Amino acid sequence: MTISSLVGFNFGCQCFTFIIDCFLHSPSFTIVGMKLVKTDKLNSSVRFLPSIDSLLKTATAKNLSAKIGAKRFTEIARSVIDELREDFINENLINNENDNFSREELLEIVEKKLVETAETFESRKFRRVVNATGVILHTNLGRAPLSEAARKAVLEAAGYCTLEYDLTTGKRGRRGRQAEELLCELTGAESALIVNNCAAAAFLVLSALSAGGEAIVSRGELVEIGGDFRVPDVMMQSGTKLVEVGTTNRTKLKDFADATTENTKLFVRVHPSNFRVIGFTAAPDLTALAALARERGVLLYEDAGSGAIVDLSEFGLNDEPVISESIKAGADVVTFSGDKLLGAVQAGIIVGKSEFIEKLRKHPLYRVLRVDKLAYAALAATLEIYQKEKHFAEIPVLRMLSQSKEEIAERAENFIKKLQADLSGFESQTFNLQLAEGASAVGGGSAPLTHPPTILISVRHDKLSAEKLESALRSANPPIIARIENDCLLLDLRTVSRLEEADLSAVLREIAAES
Ligand SMILES: *Cc1c(COP(=O)(O)O)cnc(C)c1O
């Protein structure tokens, strides 16, 4: 019988440590009839576990404590020591060389575990990463990276700022005025309003404009967007009765006309962002739907999802709604995201006719869903770039999208040449770097059929598998996020800025030096 089964059986796990400690000093120990050798080893090792005070005399602990604060250090140190004690009890940690760990050995083990635990916490922090996946709007990596101007604007707004203050009158000003005015100018809409995200925008529109009534939607547009945004659920929450018309693949104007009753408040058009039905399909033209809405006295609301401020069809995005065109077609209200193709921060943008936008602004939910000063600052700075028509050069999302395969090939080739020159000091080859044909992705639930052709850098390492290499890149500083296909690690420079290329090559040099 082992000590763990005996004591575990009688007292449960929690008491166990305590019992062991008692046994350590108890001469009655052998009477219980345990395996002596094993318990001896266990006893001594547990006894030699360092105390927090003795630990604090080591340089590692001193450094760590200074870095993370004494309180946090003590918490982590205690959990590491407790865990080790458990390990001894469960015999997970056995010293093969001789029976007992020495005090010094244990101190070393604890120090190592401390550093590892602190590193794990560190890796969970918010950190900048290099996105080498080629997915432009990578939702897990924060969707759109901000332009230089937007970053500066966020920094400027971080202190006191003119969020709701008019400098000319010295009185209270309208929150978000500049961003709203820019949106009107760029989309041709009469009015604009900004809320937390596009899901919030849809919820506000439905709550303010169709609660208690019916909204008609085509069956082909009852979509689920990532993060559990489901059109039917949002409708229900808003108190709107959903009326489905048409079929999955085909819905006609007549379907809307036939379903309209005196309770109908809205015609809803939802852009099927992350999927496409292809083949025998039909959906009513937005202009025709707007005319029908006017005729029947109902409103037309379009949830454009990503939407686009400028036409992106030359880059393969030919079915993302251009917001100004939706407004021109006669939509009363249009909503879209701030951090998808627009290329700014998370926000839900609502544009449309003043009469309805003002209703939304006065609705109590608007106060719940409004955005903070940093979002307004980033949005306004991004929209100013569109106003100056510099978007393809200065907004990262559009710059990445508009890069040609040839341009990326040239960058990749130069990158490989430079890295190979830097690595020529190493004895073995270490890395085998090749160019490969491939495709990037738009991501963020936009344009699922668009796969911009790209040139990838395939990376093979002498000693590391693709998985090990991927993990080494991910653990680097800054972390590099790459993809693996057919057992090969792939880097797509489309989503790596020129500045970040230096990070990428520094990390690869480090990995080469370590192996
Ligand atoms: C992405 C998307 C949303 C949700 O937008 P968030 O800004 O992520 O809340 C809503 N509707 C459509 C059609 C979308 O594509």
Side-chain angles (χ1 to χ4, degrees):
M1 186 186 282
T2 65
I3 193 167
S4 44
S5 61
L6 177 81
V7 184
F9 173 75
N10 284 331
F11 303 101
C13 276
Q14 274 316 98
C15 307
F16 188 46
T17 329
F18 170 72
I19 300 294
I20 297 277
D21 286 344
C22 290
F23 282 159
L24 288 178
H25 311 291
S26 161
S28 63
F29 182 50
T30 45
I31 299 171
V32 200
M34 318 247 165
K35 280 190 205 159
L36 255 180
V37 181
K38 210 169 220 175
T39 39
D40 258 4
K41 179 170 70 191
L42 176 71
N43 290 344
S44 308
S45 292
V46 171
R47 192 171 44 195
F48 287 155
L49 273 173
S51 66
I52 305 239
D53 281 342
S54 63
L55 195 57
L56 265 173
K57 295 198 178 87
T58 67
T60 315
K62 275 185 198 150
N63 283 339
L64 194 58
S65 174
K67 200 167 143 200
I68 65 175
K71 187 159 167 275
R72 184 101 186 85
F73 171 82
T74 308
E75 275 168 19
I76 294 180
R78 192 160 288 144
S79 78
V80 164
I81 293 170
D82 286 351
E83 218 172 275
L84 270 178
R85 186 176 292 122
E86 285 284 313
D87 279 348
F88 283 125
I89 289 165
N90 299 324
E91 298 172 11
N92 291 338
L93 205 80
I94 305 241
N95 194 355
N96 288 324
E97 313 236 318
N98 34 55
D99 283 336
N100 298 316
F101 285 100
S102 67
R103 263 181 220 286
E104 291 69 32
E105 279 171 328
L106 279 175
L107 190 62
E108 216 172 281
I109 293 175
V110 171
E111 277 181 77
K112 200 165 152 256
K113 288 216 164 210
L114 259 179
V115 173
E116 275 171 16
T117 311
E119 273 171 3
T120 307
F121 285 123
E122 190 74 9
S123 76
R124 289 186 199 146
K125 271 189 185 172
F126 236 96
R127 294 185 54 194
R128 164 175 90 94
V129 302
V130 174
N131 173 12
T133 63
V135 180
I136 298 175
L137 296 169
H138 199 304
T139 300
N140 300 155
L141 303 182
R143 280 198 187 156
L146 295 184
S147 65
E148 280 310 313
R151 288 169 201 236
K152 272 196 199 129
V154 166
L155 208 57
E156 171 116 9
Y160 292 121
C161 62
T162 54
L163 176 65
E164 283 183 22
Y165 189 81
D166 187 334
L167 283 177
T168 48
T169 61
K171 296 213 168 74
R172 181 175 179 170
R174 193 173 93 215
R175 199 180 164 87
R177 167 174 236 135
Q178 191 208 355
E180 288 174 7
E181 283 175 355
L182 282 161
L183 281 165
C184 293
E185 203 176 304
L186 292 166
T187 62
E190 290 172 10
S191 268
L193 192 67
I194 296 158
V195 291
N196 185 54
N197 55 19
C198 191
F203 186 50
L204 178 59
V205 168
L206 295 168
S207 302
L209 303 180
S210 63
E214 293 172 358
I216 304 179
V217 192
S218 158
R219 286 206 167 82
E221 297 176 2
L222 292 172
V223 301
E224 173 176 320
I225 312 293
D228 288 341
F229 174 87
R230 288 178 157 192
V231 172
D233 295 350
V234 179
M235 286 228 173
M236 197 174 69
Q237 281 297 324
S238 74
T240 300
K241 182 161 176 249
L242 165 68
V243 177
E244 299 173 33
V245 296
T247 60
T248 304
N249 57 329
R250 289 175 74 83
T251 301
K252 297 166 190 160
L253 192 64
K254 188 169 177 301
D255 296 322
F256 278 84
D258 291 349
T260 307
T261 69
E262 57 193 20
N263 293 328
T264 308
K265 300 268 184 79
L266 284 183
F267 288 166
V268 180
R269 160 69 64 96
V270 185
H271 181 57
S273 300
N274 49 11
F275 78 101
R276 293 290 180 273
V277 176
I278 54 169
F280 187 55
T281 62
D285 168 70
L286 201 64
T287 312
L289 200 56
L292 179 66
R294 265 197 307 280
E295 186 193 308
R296 300 295 177 93
V298 305
L299 303 182
L300 173 59
Y301 160 43
E302 181 181 38
D303 178 7
S306 177
I309 295 290
V310 293
D311 189 344
L312 300 171
S313 50
E314 67 175 296
F315 309 110
L317 281 85
N318 35 29
D319 59 1
E320 284 301 325
V322 177
I323 306 302
S324 58
E325 284 172 13
S326 297
I327 294 291
K328 209 186 287 167
D332 295 295
V333 181
V334 181
T335 58
F336 57 107
S337 285
D339 56 355
K340 292 186 183 170
L341 286 169
L342 176 72
V345 281
Q346 178 188 303
I349 295 168
I350 312 172
V351 294
K353 304 211 169 106
S354 294
E355 186 189 344
F356 311 118
I357 299 289
E358 289 319 307
K359 257 194 184 164
L360 304 183
R361 198 188 301 279
K362 291 194 185 91
H363 195 281
L365 256 184
Y366 171 59
R367 178 63 182 78
V368 178
L369 303 174
R370 75 181 192 185
V371 297
D372 78 329
K373 58 184 180 178
L374 303 184
Y376 280 125
L379 269 172
T382 307
L383 294 166
E384 271 185 322
I385 299 175
Y386 283 101
Q387 191 186 37
K388 289 186 245 170
E389 298 183 1
K390 298 227 171 102
H391 39 275
F392 287 121
E394 293 181 15
I395 295 178
V397 168
L398 297 188
R399 193 167 56 213
M400 292 170 187
L401 191 65
S402 60
Q403 260 182 107
S404 67
K405 182 172 125 181
E406 291 68 32
E407 218 175 307
I408 296 169
E410 194 186 325
R411 284 178 60 198
E413 227 167 285
N414 289 336
F415 181 86
I416 292 179
K417 260 190 223 149
K418 208 159 154 281
L419 185 65
Q420 272 167 344
D422 289 344
L423 291 177
S424 59
F426 294 98
E427 273 183 21
S428 68
Q429 267 291 208
T430 317
F431 285 120
N432 177 357
L433 303 154
Q434 303 279 342
L435 299 183
E437 297 267 338
S440 312
V442 180
S446 312
L449 300 183
T450 308
H451 307 290
T454 193
I455 292 294
L456 303 161
I457 301 174
S458 80
V459 188
R460 287 179 203 278
H461 188 280
D462 278 357
K463 300 186 195 103
L464 301 177
S465 65
E467 282 75 23
K468 287 256 165 66
L469 191 55
E470 187 272 339
S471 154
L473 285 166
R474 188 157 32 84
S475 328
N477 185 22
I480 312 285
I481 314 300
R483 59 172 143 142
I484 297 178
E485 264 169 39
N486 302 326
D487 262 342
C488 188
L489 184 111
L490 299 172
L491 303 170
D492 188 345
L493 291 187
R494 183 186 293 278
T495 48
V496 178
S497 73
R498 287 188 189 267
L499 277 175
E500 289 166 336
E501 275 183 33
D503 291 319
L504 186 53
S505 83
V507 166
L508 288 170
R509 282 200 305 269
E510 241 166 70
I511 293 173
E514 278 164 13
S515 50

